[in-house]
Amino acid sequence: MSIGELLLEKGLITAENLAQAVALRKRTGQRLDKTLVELGCITEEQVLRVVSEQFGIPMVDLSNVKIDVETLRSLPPKLVYRRGLVPLQKENGTLRLATSDPFDLYSFDEVRMLTGLEIQPVLAPSDEIDKVIKTYYGVGGETIDEMMDSADLEVLGENNSDSQDLLEMAQEASVIKLVNEVFLEAIKERATDIHIEPYEHDLKIRYRIDGVLHETTMPTQVRRFQAAIISRIKIMSHLNIAEKRLPQDGRIQLQVGGRKFDVRVSVIPMLYGEGVVMRLLDHTTVHFTLPQLGMAQDTLEAFHQIITRPHGIMLVTGPTGSGKTTTLYAALQEIVSPSIKVLTVEDPVEYHIDGVNQIQVVPKVGLTFARGLRHILRHDPDVVMIGEIRDLETAEAAIQAALTGHLVFSTLHTNDACSSATRLLDMGVEPFLVTSTLEAAMAQRLVRTVCPECKQPYQPDPARLPDDFKYRPGQTLHHGVGCRKCRGTGYYGRTGLFELMVTSERIREKVMDRAPTGKILATAKAEGLRLLREDGWMKVRAGITTPEEVIRATKA
């Protein structure tokens, strides 16, 4: 019985599916089971389970299999990459070999000849095998092998290569393929940033996933192709590949499987070559709604009341990468409508929002935040968003907009909500202007959330928790123990911690008196302000995140 008939008999596909796959197979020559998977009629794992049952070949979960590194080294990397094989274990003259293609008998013969061992195949999906190969052999390892074997590719050092040589190297198909693999792996792992860091004897590539950097395994030979890799990225970013003495900034636009990515590229000369950091902005996943940000219900209600006021300033504060812009975009999406005109001045415009007029700051030609804001007020907006208040000129322009009846959103770099008023005063804004316009300030941080796949209850050691975490003995918290989905970290995704200070009359009095931040904070706490740490502890008790994450993201 053929594989197609087996799948049909088990009710995993329909006769129409089979007929469609047979017709396509005649044109492509591809095997029937692979054609069915490609058409989406069945998953690869379902096919493998049927094959396992029919032929008595066991299936394995590679995430739970302990792999012997010495056994891995028994096969050449090129064979592992080309055939998609993972040697698991040698025992009594037999080699357990994980494969996603049990019909590839030629590969088994090749391994048998190379090792002199009998082959015992076990089955695993190709994506699991690919993940193991990348973990142990490195991202782009097959491409590196091809580049090492390429007779017509000359590997040049930093000192003896001119820009024409670099241009030719960067346009080699193998270099292009390697850089593409780095991007694809980053997107697959949900990375927000790619760091390429040159060292004396190594070139490291790290991905920032859920706010934390993770080093990816790369073949050791990748250091030899450093100049070509950096030059390829510069070409994609429309930068000068001959300039290696000065920092450069560029931009790449990618499309992967229907998803559009905007990549912001920064290249800086370092001791052992140029370092590159690339920020990946996914246009398809940015549009969070306010409830998706993770605000407590009372904070969400208060925040919604503020962003629907007719005028005033709403500030979102926090360090770089704390999600301030995402919060403001969510706020804009909440209030945008055909009856409201919204204008933004940003540097850069990170995401495009339907119904919002967005302006890109261009300092080179004199289009600054302050100048842009002064001019857009002539376009009769109801709501204005300023990317960031950086100086007195921008602060005064924002205050003037609020005084003339506009609702203004902006960000500010302060550590907590109560410092925002003090920061404006330090810039040189008069106290009466701050009290007249500042409606509220919200500080925020991002923390990783517990992975839902490996989430487990536990009881922590109270002695290891900070004193401000009001832990009751016997209280159950949750953490992730590590699984395939979360790459063994125990975390998957992020949520926000929020500290919303609404400007009350008592707080305005403190600002008018130029009171220090501590006194403003004491007043706000007396009026019910929930601090970042307190919001974090609430989310720990709710099983959303862990004490370690709150401690990492906030200070006592």
Side-chain angles (χ1 to χ4, degrees), residues 441-474:
M442 184 167 71
Q444 69 176 68
R445 299 290 188 274
L446 292 177
V447 292
R448 293 181 292 174
T449 52
V450 177
C451 174
E453 295 290 323
C454 59
K455 183 176 182 177
Q456 287 188 3
Y458 80 108
Q459 291 187 354
D461 179 2
R464 302 185 65 178
L465 293 176
D467 293 337
D468 58 325
F469 285 9
K470 307 302 181 187
Y471 177 73
R472 298 192 311 274

Side-chain angles (χ1 to χ4, degrees), residues 418 422 506-507 510 514-526:
C418 297
T422 312
R506 289 181 61 197
I507 290 174
K510 297 292 181 186
R514 292 185 179 269
T517 302
K519 290 192 175 180
I520 297 174
L521 175 61
T523 302
K525 285 182 72 174

Side-chain angles (χ1 to χ4, degrees), residues 238-251:
H238 307 289
L239 301 177
N240 182 359
I241 67 168
E243 179 56 75
K244 299 182 183 180
R245 301 162 300 171
L246 297 172
Q248 297 186 72
D249 293 325
R251 178 177 172 180

Side-chain angles (χ1 to χ4, degrees), residues 131-150:
K131 186 170 286 189
V132 171
I133 290 173
K134 285 176 178 175
T135 300
Y136 287 96
Y137 291 94
V139 175
E142 183 181 20
T143 308
I144 292 289
D145 277 345
E146 290 173 5
M147 292 162 72
M148 295 294 290
D149 290 345
S150 177

Side-chain angles (χ1 to χ4, degrees), residues 239-420:
L239 301 177
N240 182 359
I241 67 168
E243 179 56 75
K244 299 182 183 180
R245 301 162 300 171
L246 297 172
Q248 297 186 72
D249 293 325
R251 178 177 172 180
I252 304 170
Q253 289 186 303
L254 301 174
Q255 184 160 331
V256 180
R259 295 165 63 189
K260 290 185 178 180
F261 292 86
D262 200 7
V263 184
R264 303 294 161 82
V265 181
S266 174
V267 183
I268 297 180
M270 295 183 180
L271 186 60
Y272 295 107
E274 291 174 291
V276 181
V277 174
M278 294 177 281
R279 166 67 58 87
L280 276 67
L281 303 172
D282 185 352
H283 289 287
T284 59
T285 59
V286 67
H287 297 311
F288 290 96
T289 61
L290 281 180
Q292 291 174 325
L293 297 179
M295 292 184 197
Q297 188 59 36
D298 55 347
T299 303
L300 179 61
E301 290 171 1
F303 185 71
H304 191 272
Q305 287 179 5
I306 291 158
I307 65 174
T308 52
R309 291 181 181 179
H311 54 77
I313 296 176
M314 169 70 213
L315 294 177
V316 179
T317 77
T320 302
S322 58
K324 300 186 297 294
T325 305
T326 300
T327 297
L328 288 183
Y329 279 154
L332 289 180
Q333 289 192 116
E334 184 78 10
I335 62 174
V336 69
S337 72
S339 61
I340 292 178
K341 178 155 185 173
V342 181
L343 280 164
T344 74
V345 187
E346 304 171 62
D347 181 22
V349 175
E350 292 189 12
Y351 302 105
H352 305 289
I353 308 174
D354 289 338
V356 175
N357 299 274
Q358 295 170 275
I359 298 168
Q360 171 83 43
V361 168
V362 189
K364 288 181 182 177
V365 297
L367 181 53
T368 61
F369 280 120
R371 187 172 182 182
L373 182 54
R374 282 197 299 270
H375 285 277
I376 66 174
L377 293 181
R378 298 171 190 165
H379 278 242
D380 189 29
D382 299 290
V383 179
V384 174
M385 185 185 103
I386 312 168
E388 183 184 344
I389 294 179
R390 297 176 178 172
D391 50 40
L392 177 60
E393 187 182 15
T394 309
E396 287 179 335
I399 285 169
Q400 189 59 40
L403 288 172
T404 53
H406 302 86
L407 182 61
V408 180
F409 295 154
S410 190
T411 69
L412 198 63
H413 283 290
T414 64
N415 289 326
D416 54 45
C418 297
S419 299
S420 54

